[in-house]
Every structure is written in structure tokens, then in C-alpha cells.
Amino acid sequence: MSKRGGVGNNQAITDRLLTCHQRLYSSLNFGFRSSYDDKERKWRCPDIEMQKHVLHSIGAFLGFISADTCQHPLVKDSVADMIKALEGILQCNSEGVLIIAAKVALKLVRDLPSSMLQSHVLHLIQPFSSLLSSHQVKVASRCANGLNHILPYLSLKKDGVIWEILKETNAVIHVINNIQKFSRGMESIKYFQRMASLLRRILWQWPPSRYHVWNDAELLRVLEVIRVNPDSSVKVAVLQLYSALALCGNGAERLLENGENLIKMVVQCMDSTQPPSVRIEAFKLARLLAMSGQRCSKMMRLCCEPIVQAIICGLRGCSLSDRQIAKDQISLLVEAGHLALITRWAGEHHIYFWKLGIDRVLSTLLLSKSHKAQPPQHSLSLKELRAITDEGPAFIWDIIGGLVTHCGEDFNPEMNGSDVFIGILIGCACLTFVDSVHQSSQIYQDAANNISGRSASRAVLMMIYSPCKYIASQARSKLSEALKPEGKRYLKSLMDYLCYVSSRDEFGRPDERTFFSIVGLTCYSGLPQYRKYVLQSEGIKMLLAFIKQCLKNDFHLGRLSFASNSQNMFSSWTCCQTCAEDWDGGGILVLFGLWGLAELIHNSGPMRNHPDLFCGQMEYTEAQFINKLQEICSDTSIPGLRWYAAYLLSYFGVYGFPSRLGKRIGNAFGEKENADMQLILKNGESVSIHGVVLMVQCPSLLQTVELPLDKGSSEGSPVRQYTELTKKFKKEVHLSSHVHHLPLVKLLEFIYLGYLQAGEDLLKSLKSFAKHCKLQPLLQMLHRNRPKWGMAFPGLDLALALNSDGHTFSDVALEAEATEVMQWTCKFCPVLVPHMHVHKVILWSSCDYFRAMFRSGMQESRSPFIKVPVSWEALVKLVDWLYSDKLPTLVTGCLWDNMDERKKLKELQPYLELCWLADYWLLDDIQEHCSRVINSCLDSSGNLSLEVLQIAARLSLWKLAETAVNRLGPSYSRLRLTGEIEKLDKDLADMVRVASVRHSQDSTKCKLEE
């Protein structure tokens, strides 16, 4: 076409567009009223015929818009007015008009570019949301579809405004009602798809919406009915809804409460006979349900082998040449691989993964397309592997890393002919690791995008230290080969960088190179030929410096911080997930540092061979380092860190598991006043002990103890009967001639404190004694066995002493205040007041108040009942802390957010009482914990903070009162207007007013500084 012809065409288009534009505004002007300023104009025409005319004009104008004209100034300038008109018309009462208006509005948001709608379309959300309740199917369906088009591209800054609109219009409730209509066969599949899609989108984008949906028992019942629908599009929609609910940890728990049928349905949907779209959504749902180890275990108990079979089938389905893999098959492969990451948790599913050939499937994914059809039948050299393999998905290394971590010691792939495939995986992991180490050593190399390298590096670390002898041996051999001839140069580069990082005054946030360096050094420490170089280069001192820097800067970096995208894809969308982290928790750099240090020390002989280890360096003295390791065991909640700290302590003569509870109970070790048993050796020596501690910690040493009196033989009042039953008694336990005094004392040291200190000369007898007493965790430390990944840390816990066996040794009871009328019965005694049977030794060792009381000789010290001035709920929490060093936590997340104020205050009341009691009894740990819990629950909304402020003031908890005042300060004006401030007395109200002034001044100062 000639240029002249093109110009003529464009002119014709412009002329027609101008005509449509004139007709549009000719009708719009009847409704907008010209007296209003353009920016303030609103639709104010109630005439139905005029509304229909305007809708027809908007429809005609939209019908003319195409890719060629949508960016024309006339179109851009008309968008705001069309949306304002539609906003007004969608609020009319005429059903006929609403049907047309919903259709036109849907066309507008569907046809115009999102960039053009961004600043105006917010006006349509309120009418669209309101009309979801319309009994006109077309209106509700079109409005749902309109919201589905609008919500994805609105700015995140508007999320809060949109959520308020959705709440105000009860959008979620109306959508749920519409879904229920479909279950009754009243509406079409298309209608259901639109409603389900909208609900799913709201659940993903606004976490506060999730509670009301997963807590709707009727909706869950309806979904059970709908999910049997054979239509694949319905199955997809239902699976997507379940996935959106499972984003909330509490929602996932609810789905799994009676989850057998749900899991069976998910497994059926993952089957190869289902369409790819159904299988993909089923894998996503299963992955969300299994996001924590606890939930994964629950799923495996319900349906273990079929889930693993489905995963293997999903991974195997894409082992064809690249050209033959459709896009949906690739998505299926990715989702199956993501679900296979359940290998990071121990369990029966590992057996099925190996049984069903996971090694063959994963190794086939690594082979280049020309070798997929005929995988190698014999072991390959690393050179051959490089020639026939490609870089596979990063999840391969995450999967195999989990498998080798939890593999059995005697597992031998050669027995079932899978050694070739294991060899491919180990070899490729080592090659990828070495390439990554090389890349990270380059000054200008950006390691941030090396996702596969990060995952492979971690997998190699797990292979080298795998409990499986075969895999560990093969990994060490292949890694040693892969490092030639540059291995020592790479090692020096890693150590130089760690030295640089450890010596910096400003540590900064650890980068990818730091991760590669510490993982690489830990791997090198497992290779004998390089370990010697590390030791000679003062690698131990360097690791001490690195560990100190990490602890000093208090970095909380978990595995997900350096994991592949496959592992953290959903993390930013989830809520209420209580078990999001793994064994390494948020201390991955410290963990790998301790791991590498332990490996070096383990292979360098006893510490007495290194008297100069802590000389000439400013990081730690030996005593300081031991103290720091004990602090890690006691004060962190990360199992991996605690295990490796305890493991390292064993090389310094400290065997066991230090804890805060052990430090307290250790006060009773050797104390005779409350001892009720004696251990007597053959030579006549004796040791006084406390039966309740022995019963929990080492029951094999404790013979059956019988009370001296029968409960039914006493006469008199219930209190007198109980007094007779709890009279102090002694029980003698005679030990065999094989037991000697010093090993016995050391064993008791472990029983009371959770750890013992001993020289190398006592180890042999202690090992024998610990084995006889079935103290497996202590035996592991005495043998200095490397911690097994995923094992729970065996900290001291005396909670078992509160059961019926422990009651045998109970010599006192704590009585709570009866705060309300309650029916009370005790399974141990006939006393009818709320109380708990406890043990003086626990009270004496944990609390200075009780220690002083029992030593005072006053009548209260001899009473079988001690009154504690707190409610029953607070007393239960107090006793839990005394026996386990743990306070039961409040419900969190959506469960707390959706609790009414009265119930919230009732939940907080025991913590307020304990905070006051701890101040009186000098229990600093309890006071700190309770204050932290209370502070985390206060908000600036008013009611809860007001109530807490009044209680805190009444109990003279002024620090807590100050926190509540500061939370209320920003809301002072509103509280005064609503009259809520009048709940407070004058002094407290003045405190809030002063806090408000201070908040205003601080805000002004910040604005001026900006």
C-alpha cells in the first residue's frame, strides 16, 4: 500500500473514532451534569432509558477500539468518564439495566490495556463486589469475571483499600453462597469457574480472607460434593481452591483433620490418566499440604506409597527428547519435582523413593537428549559424564540431597543394580559443585544466579557426610577426582575469602560467595588429602573467627535464603506456617561453620594434642568457646545448631546437652534435704538422689517404689488423708559391684544437669554404664558420633513427672485461686480445690522463693498444700515452665486475629498474672517471656490495649503499662471522641495523652528530617 493510501486510511479511522466519541459524550453529558467540575463529576441520571442509551454508546465506542486505536488520545481521555458512568449505573435497581451494565463493564476491563485502566478501575470494584449477591446469574457472573480481570494488575499500594471494599461488601460470603448454588445443580460450570477463580484470587492476595473460608464447615462439605464432578475444569477449580486455603498453615491443618478422603482424591488427580492441568494442580496442592515435616508425616501415614508413585510417574513422564515435551508436560515435571522435596524430611516415603527407582529417574533427567533413550549400563568416569549430561533442574540436587541425608547406614545400591545411576548423580553433583566453587572464586563473577550450583553444593555436602557408607565413600572419591588439578588453589581461595569476611569490622549481609565458601570448606574438611592443608593453614582458628562474626552479628539466615526457587516459591504467600524452617532453622552459616570445625577437630586427635589452639588469637579463649557452645545449646531453638554445639563440646570433655532447665535442676544435685532415695554401692558408699528426677531421666536405675500407706486406710479430712500419703520416705537401691563411685556420680551429673564433664580416662566406664542404663543420647556423645540430620535435640524435660508414675514421688501440691465456679476432681486425691501435685525438689531448684520457704522452718514449709495467688490457667502454665522450661504459647495468626476482644483478654490473663507473680518471686525468665507474649498481642485499635493497661496498672506492672500506653498514644484523639478513654482513671488517661503528644512530635521530626 502506498504511503498516501496509508494516510487516507488513518484519516478514515480517526474520523470514525471521532464520530463515536462525539456520540458517546453526547449521551454521557446527560448524566454527568455540566455544573460539576470535570474532576469531581459523578453520574447522577436515574432515568432507565437514558442509562440504557449511555450503555449502548459505551458499548459501541468499545466495539470500535482495536489494537490500532486503543492508544489514541480520544480513547485514553474517555476511559475515566466511561468508568464513572458505569460506576453510577451499576448502582441502579433495574435488573434489566444491571444485566447490560455488567456486560459493558466486563467488556471494558477485558478489552482495554491494563496500563490505561490502572488509575481509574478502582471505581468499579465496589459496584462489582456489591453485585456478587445479585440473584440475576448473568449479573453476578459478569461481575465476578470483571473482578477476575481487574484484581491481578492493580498496584500493591491499593491492596489495603481494595480489601476494605471487599470486606464492606461481604464479597467473600457472597462468592461462597454462589459456589453453594452450583453444588445444588442450580448454575453452570462456567458460573462456578468464575466464582471459584475469584475466591481463589482473593485468598491468594489477601491472607485475612482465608480464616473465614477454611473455617466454613458448610463450604468444605460443599467442596467435597463438587470435587467428585468428572469435568476436568471443575476438578482444576476445586484443587486451586484447596491450594489457596492451604496457604494458611491453620487452613492446611483443617483440611488434614479428616484428610484421608482428600488425600485419596489428590492422589487420584495426580494419576497419569488425568489431564495434565488436573495433575499439575494436584501436585501443587499436595506440596502446600506438606510444607511442614509434621503435615508431611500425616500425609504419608494416610497414603505413602501412592503419593511417591505419583511423583515418580510425574518425573518419568518427561524423560523424552526436548522436542517431544509439551509445555504442560514441563510444568508437570516441575511440580512433581517440587513435591519430591518432601525427601528433606525423614520417613517411610524414603523407602518407596528408592524402591521405585528415584535414582534412575533423576539421573535420566540429567542426560542429554541423545542419551535419554538408552541410559548407560556401566559406571562412567567424570570426563564421560561431562560429555553426556546437561545441567538439569535445580530440584534434582535438593531431592537427592534429602535422600542421601536420611539414607540407611548399610544401604548398598550395588545390591539392586542401581549403582550406575547413583554414580551419575554423585558425579554430576560433584562436577557442578566444583564449577560453582571455581565461579565463586572469580572476582567479577555474579553468583546470585547460580541456583543449580547452590543446590548441588549442599547436596555434595550431604553426600560426603551421609550416614550411608557407600554414598559417603563414592562422594569423597568422585569429589577428590573432580577437584584435580586445581583443588588446592580453590581451597586457598575459599579460605582467603572466609578470612577476609571474618576480619571485617562491618560484616554486612552474607553473600552467595560466603555461602559457597563455608559449604566448600566443610566439604573439603571431609576429604583426608585436603584436611591436612586446612589444619596446617590454621583452618580451625579461621572457623572460630567466622563463627564468632556470625554470632556477633546475629544473622538469621535459613536454608530458604540460599535455596533454589523451587523451595521458596510459596513462602511469600503463606501465613500462619509454624514449621516453615528445617533442622538448620535460621542459622545455616553458623551450622556449617560448627560442622566444618567439628570435622577438623574430630580428625586432628584429642584436644590435649592442641594446647596452642586458643593461643595467639583474639577470638576466644578455650573457656569462652566452651561457654559459647553451652549458650547455643541452652538459648537457641534450632536443633541443628544445638546438636553440633553439643557434639563439639564432647571434644572439650563436656558430654551431653546443656539447657536452662538443666542449669536449674542441677542446683539439686548433691542436695540432701529433699532427697528421698539412696543409691548404695557394694563398698557401702551411698549417694542421695531424688526419685522423681531419676524416674524421668534414668528409669532403668529405679526399681518400683510403693507408697507406705494405702489411700483408703487413712481417716479424717481429705487434707489429712493426703498429708499421711505424702509423708517423706526413703527408698534404697543397691547397685552391683560393677558400679563404681566416680562413674556413678558423673552419670548422676548428666541426669540432673543434662550433661557431664569427664576426662578421657573415665570414658570407657561411662560408656559401659550409659549403655547399661539405656541412655542412648549420652552414649552417642561419649562415642562422639556425628549428629544425624533431622534428629530432635534431647534436651532435659521433666514433664513426665506430672503423670501417675511421677505422683508416686509427689510431696507437695500447688493450689490455685478459685476464680470462678468450677467442678473440680483430682485423679490422685479427694481434695476438691484446684491444685497440681508437684515435687519439692523441682520447686526448690527452680525458684528462690520456694527455696527460702522450704528452708525457713515455718509452718507453710511443712504444709502439703501451698497456695499460689493466680488462677488455675496461670498455675498450669507455671508448672509447665517449672518442669520443661517452656510456657504454652498463645494461638497466633488468623486464629488470634479473628478472636473477639473478650476471649483475647481471657487468653492473655494468665500471662498477666504470671508476669506479676514472676516479679514477686524473682522468676526473670518467666517475666521476660510473658512480657514478650503480651507485647506482641497489643495493638493500637483500643479495647485490648485499654484492658491490659488497666490490669497492668492494678498489678503495678509499670513497664508493661508503659508499653500499652505507647501503643494507645497514636489513637488518643479517636479514643477521646468515642469516649473509650473514659474507661481509664485520670492518671492513666494523662499517660496516654502525653504519649500521643510525644508520638505527634516524633512524627513531625521524622517528616522534617526527610
Side-chain angles (χ1 to χ4, degrees), residues 197-407:
S197 177
L198 176 58
L199 183 56
R200 174 181 62 85
R201 197 173 298 282
I202 292 172
L203 292 170
W204 270 86
Q205 202 153 339
W206 290 280
S209 65
R210 296 167 188 168
Y211 171 84
H212 301 285
V213 183
W214 66 252
N215 201 39
D216 189 323
E218 179 61 22
L219 174 66
L220 295 184
R221 188 195 64 77
V222 164
L223 291 180
E224 287 181 13
V225 174
I226 296 175
R227 72 192 189 201
V228 300
N229 191 301
D231 189 283
S232 62
S233 63
V234 173
K235 288 184 183 295
V236 167
V238 172
L239 289 166
Q240 288 176 336
L241 268 182
Y242 278 133
S243 293
L245 295 179
L247 289 169
C248 172
N250 296 320
E253 292 286 352
R254 178 64 179 273
L255 293 177
L256 288 173
E257 276 180 8
N258 299 299
E260 187 172 359
N261 290 332
L262 174 64
I263 299 302
K264 285 181 178 177
M265 181 274 289
V266 172
V267 171
Q268 289 171 359
C269 290
M270 289 191 288
D271 189 81
S272 58
T273 59
Q274 296 289 339
S277 58
V278 174
R279 297 177 70 191
I280 289 168
E281 295 304 327
F283 278 120
K284 286 181 180 178
L285 172 56
R287 181 184 173 201
L288 281 163
L289 290 174
M291 278 191 74
S292 74
Q294 185 178 7
R295 297 208 305 263
C296 177
S297 296
K298 187 178 289 187
M299 287 176 61
M300 294 304 109
R301 287 196 297 271
L302 293 171
C303 206
C304 185
E305 186 174 5
I307 291 177
V308 178
Q309 282 179 328
I311 293 172
I312 296 292
C313 184
L315 293 171
R316 186 181 287 134
C318 291
S319 57
L320 306 171
S321 66
D322 293 348
R323 292 180 181 178
Q324 293 173 287
I325 302 178
K327 184 178 179 180
D328 54 2
Q329 287 180 304
I330 295 176
S331 298
L332 183 61
L333 167 69
V334 171
E335 293 305 329
H338 291 173
L339 180 56
L341 297 178
I342 58 174
T343 56
R344 66 184 180 272
W345 292 300
E348 187 184 6
H349 52 290
H350 281 258
I351 298 172
Y352 292 110
F353 270 113
W354 290 116
K355 177 183 175 182
L356 296 171
I358 184 66
D359 48 338
R360 183 185 185 104
V361 172
L362 294 180
S363 60
T364 303
L365 289 173
L366 290 171
L367 295 174
S368 57
K369 59 183 180 182
S370 60
H371 291 86
K372 287 183 186 291
Q374 292 184 333
Q377 302 299 313
H378 58 85
S379 298
L380 301 174
S381 67
L382 294 181
K383 185 177 181 180
E384 290 173 318
L385 278 179
R386 277 198 185 277
I388 69 167
T389 57
D390 293 328
E391 181 180 344
F395 63 69
I396 291 178
W397 308 125
D398 297 323
I399 295 169
I400 196 65
L403 287 167
V404 301
T405 299
H406 302 291
C407 203

Side-chain angles (χ1 to χ4, degrees), residues 689-928:
I689 61 165
H690 305 85
V692 63
V693 178
L694 203 61
M695 182 208 77
V696 175
Q697 291 292 90
C698 188
S700 60
L701 267 182
L702 186 62
Q703 299 175 1
T704 305
V705 178
E706 296 179 358
L707 285 171
L709 296 171
D710 180 73
K711 190 179 293 188
S713 64
S714 300
E715 296 179 357
S717 70
V719 173
R720 183 182 297 272
Q721 292 176 23
Y722 180 69
T723 302
E724 292 298 316
L725 287 171
T726 55
K727 281 182 178 177
K728 192 170 182 180
F729 64 93
K730 290 279 185 179
K731 177 71 178 177
E732 295 181 350
V733 177
H734 292 268
L735 303 177
S736 75
S737 57
H738 298 291
V739 180
H740 300 287
H741 185 265
L742 187 54
L744 174 62
V745 170
K746 287 299 175 183
L747 191 75
L748 291 173
E749 186 180 330
F750 171 79
I751 289 170
Y752 277 81
L753 281 83
Y755 68 94
L756 61 88
Q757 292 179 276
E760 296 286 329
D761 54 321
L762 271 180
L763 285 188
K764 185 176 180 180
S765 55
L766 282 173
K767 289 174 185 176
S768 177
F769 205 175
K771 183 177 181 181
H772 174 76
C773 293
K774 301 176 183 177
L775 296 174
Q776 194 58 40
L778 173 60
L779 198 59
Q780 180 174 351
M781 290 295 100
L782 292 171
H783 282 285
R784 295 182 178 130
N785 293 332
R786 189 184 297 119
K788 186 176 180 182
W789 192 278
M791 285 181 65
F793 188 76
L796 189 64
D797 190 343
L798 299 176
L800 286 174
L802 297 171
N803 64 18
S804 55
D805 290 336
H807 177 254
T808 303
F809 300 96
S810 175
D811 48 7
V812 71
L814 298 180
E815 179 185 328
E817 286 185 338
T819 54
E820 55 185 60
V821 179
M822 57 189 300
Q823 294 281 338
W824 175 265
T825 57
C826 176
K827 62 181 178 180
F828 299 127
C829 75
V831 177
L832 298 178
V833 294
H835 64 275
M836 292 189 75
H837 297 276
V838 293
H839 309 84
K840 283 186 178 181
V841 62
I842 307 298
L843 306 183
W844 184 93
S845 59
S846 298
C847 179
D848 291 339
Y849 174 85
F850 283 120
R851 191 177 302 129
M853 175 194 292
F854 295 143
R855 285 176 171 173
S856 67
M858 298 174 64
Q859 182 178 354
E860 190 178 21
S861 68
R862 297 187 295 273
S863 172
F865 279 81
I866 298 174
K867 293 187 177 182
V868 183
V870 295
S871 65
W872 166 251
E873 292 78 13
L875 178 63
V876 171
K877 289 177 170 56
L878 171 65
V879 171
D880 279 342
W881 178 82
L882 290 170
Y883 281 75
S884 68
D885 195 52
K886 298 172 187 173
L887 275 176
T889 57
L890 283 171
V891 296
T892 57
C894 59
L895 293 176
W896 174 264
D897 296 338
N898 289 281
M899 196 182 290
D900 63 58
E901 298 294 327
R902 182 182 57 80
K903 192 168 182 183
K904 283 182 180 179
L905 185 61
K906 186 177 180 181
E907 291 287 321
L908 276 181
Q909 183 72 34
Y911 294 92
L912 288 160
E913 295 177 50
L914 286 181
C915 204
W916 166 79
L917 186 70
D919 190 41
Y920 179 47
W921 283 2
L922 304 178
L923 296 171
D924 293 340
D925 286 350
I926 286 188
Q927 188 171 42
E928 181 184 347

Side-chain angles (χ1 to χ4, degrees), residues 521-576:
L521 181 58
T522 308
C523 289
Y524 269 107
S525 299
L527 305 178
Q529 64 270 43
Y530 293 102
R531 190 186 302 127
K532 184 177 180 180
Y533 175 82
V534 176
L535 290 168
Q536 290 174 344
S537 304
E538 296 192 325
I540 292 180
K541 291 184 178 181
M542 184 269 295
L543 281 171
L544 285 171
F546 177 76
I547 291 166
K548 185 172 184 178
Q549 274 283 35
C550 290
L551 293 172
K552 176 184 174 182
N553 288 275
D554 196 26
F555 284 118
H556 295 281
L557 294 176
R559 181 174 55 81
L560 292 181
S561 303
F562 295 107
S564 63
N565 293 338
S566 61
Q567 295 195 44
N568 55 22
M569 182 180 295
F570 292 130
S571 58
S572 60
W573 297 98
T574 57
C575 66
C576 309

